[in-house]
Amino acid sequence: MRSLWNGCRPLGLMLLACSLAWTPAQAQVQAQVRAPVGLEKPVPKLARPVAAAVLPTPVRELGGIEEYRLPNGLQVLLFPDATQTTTTVNITYRVGSRHEAPGEYGMAHLLEHMLFKGTARQKDIPGAMAQRGVRFNGTTTVDRTNYFASFNANADTLAFLLDLEADRMVNSRVAKADLDTEMTVVRNEFERGENQPFAVLVQRVNAAAFAWHPYGHATIGPKSDIENVPIEKLQGFYKRFYRPDNATLLIAGAFDKAATLALIGQHFGPIARPAAPVPQPYTVEPAQDGERSVVVRRVGGQPILLANYHVPAITHPDTPALIVYGLLMSLQPSGQLYKQLVEPKLAVAAGLAGTGGVDPYVSSAYAVLPPDGDVAKVEALLLDLAEGRNAPAFDETELARVRDIAVNRYREQMKNPEALIQQISGLIAAGDWRLLFQLMEDIPKVTLADVDRVRKAYFKPANRTLGRYLPAPSVERVEVPPAPPLAQRLAELKGPPKVEAGEQLEPVPAVLESRTRRATLPSGIALHTLQKQTRGNTVVLQMQLRWGEREATYARNGTGFVGALMDEGSAGYTRQQLQDALIKLRASLNITSYDQGATLFLSAERDTLLPALRVAADVLRRPLFPQEAFERELKANLASIEASRQEPQVLRQEATRAHYNQARGVKLGHPDYVMSLDERIANLKATTLDDVKRFYADYWSANDAQISVVGALPDGLAAEVDRLFGDWKKPAAPKFVRHVPEHVAIPPARFDAIARDKANAIVRLHESLPLNAEDPDYPALELAVHIFGGGGLESRLSERVRQKEGLTYGIGASLNAGYWGRAGSFAIQATYAPDKRDRVIAVVQEEVARMAAQGVTAAELARAKQDILEGRKQGRADPGALAGGLTSLAERGETWAAAQKRDEALAAVTVEQANAAWRKHIRADGFVISTAGDFKTP
């Protein structure tokens, strides 16, 4: 469970989804935990009356979602889609950190962790999930807690999950022995959040903004409460809030509806509703009576400004206008904050977003500055713009753009039932799942007058709390109006429009091969397609361009800037026109570039792919490369590097790089040389726009091009590809020469770096291996590494270091081996409290030795095979992943039969082969061990 201290992080607040996510899900924390066998003082089985099983009763249907109720109060939402190959089960409880009392802060999230410890019947939930290939997690916000699981559609797995969720609703073990180890895991999660400047600033500003309401408390809780919460209080919290009349069960994807309803009645129906009502908080935050400010000083990072303004609950009619206002201020390149702060390079990022939650919450304006930024100047501009002083007026063109984005985002949600039902899960606590559709219906109706009204109502100095990472002469109070009855607002709600249905295509190599077509166009471009009727007629295209030799291209400056600058416009489109064209075409375009090539990714729909491809062709073939955009991109890169100087991962790499460079025998200028921060900065400063333009002129072309397209293919695709790119040739451009990396042994060593003022420390154990993905040993070693430190919480490392010892929130191992060459590697990484460094390393080394001495078991091997193969299958269900798979197969000269062969090779691995591969390749004394943290010296 990772900590999202603020739900949708501010740096990503560009689209409607983030606007909706910037709610009191602010301290969302995710949990994945596993129960040890030994327990003490388990919660007694609840003496609740048992009712007879009964089928859920239909309530309503909207947007393809069907609502049911059980007599015990359980709400059920079904979103069946037979074209899907996966199923998602989600249960949401209307309990979060706002339900906690003093001394109990963080309890809702801690309990979420504990519910993965098992019940009397389900003693090892993570292991049972792994055996079935289930991807699972849990999240906690200030308003709700949810648990969700996704899997390849399977009736037995669905039955297992419904049984599990009903069982742990009332029978979960919440025991002192589990709390003792899980407390330290959650504490390490808290410490990780303390390493993030933006997250810390958000928490401090929220704490100042809310004098009384629990929204001012971070969901993860303070360290003291995490460490000291009594087990009896945790057990009582569980009994109070985990009950059918406080829960909503959501199921989306492929499943048999009748059978599923019967299972729901069978498993959840007998759970009786408690006699006492669900306790509800009643604290109301009074109107703020003047500006408040917070200053946070920490080592590392870059200047950040954050201003919070109180706004009504999300059910209030002003919410759509607040969402639109945030988008108008934040969109790139049209948003006022972007134009006034980012374009002139006063800030590297800026935005505004946020709505209320169940209760009134905050909307936030922020700016991230370069290290040498003028904080006072940016602060004045940020507040003037957010509060409407001397700000340019919005026009109807901007408003229409935001409306189009909202409609497009809505359409994208409706294409993906599983993602949509997760979004709805976040709104359940607000009172009614239909609120999402109400917001989608209201946003296109927002006028400029509405936007101006909410800005004047809420974005006032007296309603502001300002935070600075490194007060008004008179008091003014803003009274936040109550929300009207939700039923009144929903009375006129219309059903959402339908999107085109897709087909169910079994994502196995043989079926994929039957749909794959390969062709070489007259121009020489390789075109690979896979026809699949997708929901909403989605189609994705990936174009790979290749050129040159490794050493020659590496010596050129600015290779990575080419792709980054392409969204700045072309001969046919300004940056704004490019964005608007893609919005109208319901398309997204991304171009990345590197020394020896570039990759274009285009997502659209059947009727818009070819027009979108024409836009992409203009961008690729006629880019503008404006000087001011290059300077802005350069400054952002430099600022990012400077801001990272005190980060543990950077300090750890700085400590080890000389060792690796010496072992490889390379110096500055060689592609394998690991540069220092100062060398990277010098390299960037030496790069000019002329370097970028010259590299583009010398190399960029379709001389060596591969295109993969997956989804609802339009007619005329091949002809249009050849027309747009067939004559994009540069005969003088150097041909692509593949670099084949060779193994270089890195001697074992130990490095420890000091990262001051960081609550969380890191460790990495790494060794190089003479290995590639086609070696006979590879499948066996892949499985052994997965058992040791891959997958979920069932790995050897997680079981020992996290579950038993409670030393870490996150630990894992990874195997890296390419198709070409033999430059493989094996790595172990973990986070922990700085004073636990020696113990963490010792335990990891013990587990490495135990792996070699005892080997893996048949049960572990079977579970790992299932997990990896199910993961591959799930990946092949995604059109974007399929396009990437087609490109990889084409690059290797293979068909889907090769993928099938790799699956079969992995499935055939024996216990003896897995153990032999580990003992052959993994040397306990061969690691480069490096750490970074705020280690206290004697």
Side-chain angles (χ1 to χ4, degrees), residues 749-822:
R750 172 71 182 265
F751 301 92
D752 298 295
I754 301 298
R756 292 299 181 204
D757 201 28
K758 301 297 182 183
N760 193 56
I762 60 173
V763 64
R764 184 172 191 253
L765 294 84
H766 174 266
E767 63 179 296
S768 58
L769 306 175
L771 182 77
N772 71 26
E774 295 302 294
D775 282 350
D777 284 344
Y778 181 78
L781 187 57
E782 180 183 15
L783 285 163
V785 170
H786 191 84
I787 292 167
F788 180 72
L793 298 180
E794 74 280 2
S795 74
R796 293 272 186 94
L797 285 177
S798 288
E799 181 69 29
R800 173 75 187 280
V801 186
R802 172 171 169 157
Q803 309 289 45
K804 183 178 179 180
E805 302 272 348
L807 293 170
T808 180
Y809 170 74
I811 187 169
S814 59
L815 178 67
N816 178 48
Y819 183 83
W820 287 277
R822 294 182 59 76

Side-chain angles (χ1 to χ4, degrees), residues 319 406 936:
T319 295
K936 306 304 180 185

Side-chain angles (χ1 to χ4, degrees), residues 89 91 93 119-122 125 128-129 132 151 155-172 249 251 260 262-271:
V89 174
I91 189 162
Y93 293 90
T119 69
R121 292 195 298 110
Q122 296 288 348
I125 291 174
M129 295 284 201
R132 294 167 173 82
F151 53 95
D156 291 340
T157 302
L158 177 57
F160 159 76
L161 286 167
L162 293 176
D163 180 27
L164 169 66
E165 294 299 350
D167 191 20
R168 67 176 175 176
M169 178 181 282
V170 291
N171 296 319
S172 285
L249 177 68
I251 305 174
T260 300
L263 285 170
I264 293 170
Q266 173 189 338
H267 293 300
F268 290 91
I271 304 173

Side-chain angles (χ1 to χ4, degrees), residues 562-695:
V562 181
L565 292 175
M566 282 191 165
D567 66 355
E568 296 290 340
S570 64
Y573 300 89
T574 65
R575 183 178 184 185
Q576 189 64 70
Q577 289 170 339
L578 175 60
Q579 183 189 64
D580 291 347
L582 293 172
I583 291 171
K584 295 294 184 186
L585 293 170
R586 305 185 297 278
S588 63
L589 172 65
N590 183 61
I591 302 170
T592 56
S593 62
Y594 34 95
D595 291 348
Q596 283 190 270
T599 300
L600 175 145
F601 186 86
L602 178 65
S603 176
E605 296 177 10
R606 175 187 285 148
D607 63 334
T608 65
L609 177 67
L610 298 187
L613 190 59
R614 294 176 198 124
V615 174
D618 195 75
V619 171
L620 278 175
R621 300 190 63 172
R622 302 195 299 166
L624 291 180
F625 299 132
Q627 180 70 38
E628 62 84 18
F630 168 75
E631 292 174 359
R632 185 180 351 112
E633 187 75 17
L634 179 63
K635 187 168 186 176
N637 275 272
L638 290 169
S640 176
I641 295 174
E642 288 287 359
S644 71
R645 282 189 181 275
Q646 300 301 321
E647 293 307 308
Q649 195 66 263
V650 173
L651 291 168
R652 186 200 60 76
Q653 182 172 302
E654 286 285 290
T656 61
R657 66 178 198 84
H659 179 70
Y660 280 88
N661 289 337
Q662 183 178 9
R664 292 167 179 157
V666 295
K667 295 182 178 180
L668 182 63
H670 191 280
D672 291 330
Y673 177 83
V674 182
M675 287 194 286
S676 68
L677 288 185
D678 290 335
E679 287 166 343
R680 290 168 57 195
I681 290 171
N683 180 265
L684 279 172
K685 288 182 174 179
T687 301
T688 66
L689 183 59
D690 285 341
D691 293 330
V692 176
K693 291 179 176 179
R694 280 195 295 268
F695 185 80

Side-chain angles (χ1 to χ4, degrees), residues 321-364:
L322 287 166
I323 292 172
V324 170
Y325 177 52
L327 290 168
L328 287 169
M329 294 294 287
S330 306
L331 278 178
Q332 300 180 16
S334 60
Q336 290 185 5
L337 291 174
Y338 184 83
K339 281 191 170 298
Q340 298 290 327
L341 297 177
V342 180
E343 279 193 352
K345 297 181 275 295
L346 295 173
V348 297
L352 184 151
T355 67
V358 172
D359 293 333
Y361 188 50
V362 294
S363 185
S364 304

